[in-house]
Amino acid sequence: MRFLPTDEQSDFARTLRSLLGSAQVPAAVRAWADGEHGPGLALRSRLAGTGLFALAAPESYEGAGLLPLELALGFVELGRAGVPGPVVESAAVSVLLSELGDEALAKRFLPGLVAGEAWATLTLPGGSPYALDADAAAHCFTVSAAGELRLATPASGEVLRSTDPARRLARPSATGGELLAAGPAVARAAGAAGRWARLLTAAQCLGVGEALLERTVGYVKQRTQFGAPIGSFQAVKHRLADTLLALEFARPLVWAAALSLAPGDVAAAKLRCGGAAYRAAMTALQLHGAVGYTEELDLSLWLRKARPLRDAWGTPSECRAEVLRSVTRG
């Protein structure tokens, strides 16, 4: 099994990193948290121009084919930059509609998602009842435990904030809205969409952890104590080295999960990446000290993402249970 991206895949990731590096993403995140979606939607259009959203849809619906590895590479960069919006949920909806096999529904929704003209958000049975950024999404899909796929009213209900102010939550009705499809095919497609959402969230976690470590390393080189940079202290070096190791050991699990899409592999990737990102957040907070808490410092944008992303689309306990099932099954 190959665990390193090809040159073409690496070039794609570098293109996204360059684009996001010049896109003033922190300002877009702060605006998004205040309910101002304009900068975030403009960023979505620029990302669509790279073909990122086409990687979760078949060619017959203006996509590039279902390419989880390339999409995971892209989502590492989205996490590294802290991009706001229901990016994971929109990709999961594309997968759900692709796997459902309903041509009318695919033609109705997929071209707009691929072109970056609309966001979509999603709730699945067994997951969180809250839809992410439903107030900014053009489409809010729900799948019930009975296997009904419905289109809920996106902006209905009270908007709640999570630990990350840029993650705005709403609870759509599981029974209201337009009934789009029902039956075993919906349940199968929802299962595939859930695995993709978990994989892409793992990739986002990896990017968030990398961003936190990068900023912390830069800070400890500048901050001095007793006439020396605090990064020269052995205890600080050990803490940073442990954080780096956790991220590097998590990385190949993402690539392996993207190649197999097996439930156990995806859960293992999410478990390790979520844990590594949370560890990076704790390291960043400890080494920055009190300044790490301040809203003015961009670091807070990533600090607040680490825990919600660790728990989104599969908490650590849920992922451990899935890994256990995968190794004891059959």
Side-chain angles (χ1 to χ4, degrees):
M1 181 177 292
R2 182 183 175 86
F3 280 95
L4 291 176
T6 64
D7 290 343
E8 186 177 8
Q9 291 165 340
S10 297
D11 287 344
F12 176 61
R14 278 192 290 271
T15 298
L16 284 174
R17 187 178 300 187
S18 176
L19 183 154
L20 293 168
S22 61
Q24 299 182 338
V25 178
V29 175
R30 288 191 166 91
W32 193 272
D34 291 335
E36 300 173 15
H37 300 136
L41 299 181
L43 181 59
R44 180 190 67 192
S45 298
R46 295 184 66 183
L47 288 170
T50 68
L52 177 66
F53 304 132
L55 300 173
E59 294 181 16
S60 52
Y61 302 109
E62 304 181 21
L66 296 170
L67 300 172
L69 182 54
E70 285 76 4
L71 199 58
L73 278 164
F75 272 68
V76 172
E77 299 306 322
L78 299 190
R80 178 194 292 274
V83 171
V87 286
V88 166
E89 289 71 18
S90 291
V93 166
S94 293
V95 171
L96 187 151
L97 295 172
S98 301
E99 296 287 340
L100 189 57
D102 187 316
E103 187 174 353
L105 289 180
K107 283 184 176 179
R108 179 178 170 186
F109 295 108
L110 281 179
L113 294 174
V114 169
E117 297 169 353
W119 283 131
T121 190
L122 174 71
T123 64
L124 295 177
S128 170
Y130 295 100
L132 178 67
D133 295 320
D135 58 329
H139 315 299
C140 179
F141 293 87
T142 65
V143 178
S144 70
E148 292 183 340
L149 173 63
R150 292 181 178 271
L151 186 62
T153 304
S156 63
E158 181 186 2
V159 174
L160 306 174
R161 291 192 175 191
S162 74
T163 305
D164 177 6
R167 292 176 65 86
R168 298 161 60 85
L169 306 175
R171 185 163 188 163
S173 169
T175 56
E178 178 186 354
L179 179 61
L180 299 175
V186 172
R188 285 194 296 272
R195 286 193 296 278
W196 279 65
R198 185 171 286 183
L199 168 69
L200 299 179
T201 305
Q204 267 192 313
C205 287
L206 185 59
V208 167
E210 290 177 349
L212 287 165
L213 180 60
E214 180 180 336
R215 280 160 176 75
T216 305
V217 168
Y219 180 76
V220 300
K221 288 179 179 177
Q222 297 176 358
R223 174 72 189 279
T224 59
Q225 285 280 331
F226 310 112
I230 62 172
S232 63
F233 301 155
Q234 191 173 41
V236 173
K237 290 180 179 178
H238 285 177
R239 185 69 186 263
L240 292 170
D242 289 344
T243 303
L244 176 62
L245 281 176
L247 291 168
E248 291 304 318
F249 276 112
R251 191 186 312 280
L253 294 183
V254 176
W255 309 150
L259 288 170
S260 74
L261 285 177
D265 291 348
V266 174
K270 176 64 171 38
L271 182 62
R272 291 301 298 266
C273 289
Y278 188 65
R279 182 174 194 157
M282 294 298 99
T283 298
L285 193 56
Q286 182 177 24
L287 298 185
H288 277 78
V291 72
Y293 287 96
T294 59
E295 292 281 353
E296 291 77 10
L297 196 68
D298 284 348
L299 181 77
S300 65
L301 304 180
W302 286 271
L303 278 176
R304 290 185 164 193
K305 287 186 182 302
R307 185 164 184 171
L309 284 178
R310 185 196 66 175
D311 296 340
W313 295 108
T315 64
S317 60
E318 290 169 341
C319 289
R320 286 191 190 92
E322 183 60 59
V323 172
L324 181 61
R325 281 195 293 273
S326 71
V327 298
T328 57
R329 189 176 292 141

